[in-house]
Amino acid sequence: TQLLEQSPQFLSIQEGENLTVYCNSSSVFSSLQWYRQEPGEGPVLLVTVVTGGEVKKLKRLTFQFGDARKDSSLHITAAQPGDTGLYLCAGKMRDSNYQLIWGAGTKLIIKP
Amino acid sequence: NAGVMQNPRHLVRRRGQEARLRCSPMKGHSHVYWYRQLPEEGLKFMVYLQKENIIDESGMPKERFSAEFPKEGPSILRIQQVVRGDSAAYFCASSPQELSTEAFFGQGTRLTVV
């Protein structure tokens, strides 16, 4: 059973378009992280959100944590080919200091 | 400042052989986590170690898999008598303390069992 569902699983769009990917769960997390993974590499942390309703911006990327801390979204404005990669969300359960529950990822391709 | 180093990057083993995967954490990091990733899937937690201690191995199969993080040297994930289903990417992450802050991932070892 996948505790964290990411959607869509795959997204291919043209350079310059906007997009939103989602990370949903029925569980409450104490925090949630977004990672980007390129082929043949390990995941690289983009952001950690902690407070329900929190919004964080990283250049053209906007991350939001749901009010109930069960879901999150990542919005990319004016996508560029360099944004191509696998975007993973990972949530930390409240009863653990180190266990992360991972989504299966959204594979994003930005075509020039 | 070197990041998390994993070696080898690629490992091919025949069924029944042993696979040894190494992970050198970032300097100053004493917490190591091993994850497994199958194609089109997220990462699955395997084991969490501190120097000379296994803190949580609940994600690791009880047979054939073992892990260690000695006082000196890298952390080792050992898989004995490998089977085709062990083929996957194995990632190591390290952090200076429990995962309340960022964990840094290595580039992974891609194990192929033939």
Side-chain angles (χ1 to χ4, degrees):
Chain A
T1 302
Q2 192 76 35
L3 284 181
L4 269 175
E5 298 283 345
Q6 289 192 245
S7 61
Q9 289 182 298
F10 179 79
L11 184 60
S12 179
I13 62 171
Q14 291 294 137
E15 180 178 3
E17 293 184 14
N18 302 331
L19 67 108
T20 303
V21 297
Y22 301 91
C23 175
N24 295 306
S25 177
S26 57
S27 301
V28 177
F29 296 101
S30 60
S31 65
L32 192 138
Q33 298 178 333
W34 283 92
Y35 290 79
R36 182 164 143 240
Q37 184 179 20
E38 298 190 23
E41 301 293 329
V44 176
L45 180 67
L46 296 174
V47 77
T48 300
V49 285
V50 179
T51 307
E54 182 177 4
V55 176
K56 280 192 174 179
K57 288 183 185 266
L58 186 66
K59 297 183 181 177
R60 293 175 293 100
L61 278 61
T62 302
F63 304 85
Q64 183 159 11
F65 201 11
D67 291 340
R69 289 185 292 147
K70 293 181 179 181
D71 51 75
S72 181
S73 63
L74 158 60
H75 182 79
I76 302 179
T77 305
Q80 298 177 1
D83 296 327
T84 293
L86 179 67
Y87 288 81
L88 296 160
C89 66
K92 189 188 294 186
M93 305 299 287
R94 286 186 293 184
D95 57 356
S96 172
N97 285 331
Y98 55 86
Q99 280 260 20
L100 287 175
I101 306 298
W102 292 80
T106 292
K107 191 169 183 179
L108 177 64
I109 295 177
I110 310 300
K111 294 177 283 188
Chain B
N1 184 19
V4 178
M5 303 299 292
Q6 287 190 250
N7 67 82
R9 291 290 306 276
H10 300 274
L11 182 61
V12 179
R13 284 288 177 265
R14 294 187 183 280
R15 280 179 294 171
Q17 290 185 319
E18 178 180 288
R20 277 182 172 244
L21 288 61
R22 295 175 190 77
C23 168
S24 295
M26 285 185 69
K27 188 176 180 181
H29 287 193
S30 59
H31 298 246
V32 166
Y33 314 81
W34 284 93
Y35 293 87
R36 176 174 141 140
Q37 186 178 35
L38 293 170
E40 313 303 324
E41 292 188 18
L43 279 71
K44 295 288 193 295
F45 169 80
M46 297 182 73
V47 62
Y48 164 37
L49 309 106
Q50 294 178 25
K51 283 283 188 182
E52 299 185 275
N53 284 308
I54 297 174
I55 307 302
D56 182 352
E57 56 183 348
S58 61
M60 200 157 64
K62 293 199 177 347
E63 296 180 354
R64 302 189 299 106
F65 285 72
S66 62
E68 62 177 9
F69 189 15
K71 187 176 180 181
E72 301 290 338
S75 175
I76 306 285
L77 178 66
R78 184 180 175 209
I79 310 173
Q80 295 178 290
Q81 298 174 330
V82 295
V83 300
R84 288 237 170 95
D86 296 332
S87 295
Y90 292 84
F91 289 97
C92 162
S94 75
S95 65
Q97 58 194 52
E98 279 186 339
L99 203 60
S100 58
T101 57
E102 179 177 5
F104 296 83
F105 281 83
Q107 292 177 304
T109 293
R110 274 139 194 89
L111 172 66
T112 302
V113 180
V114 297

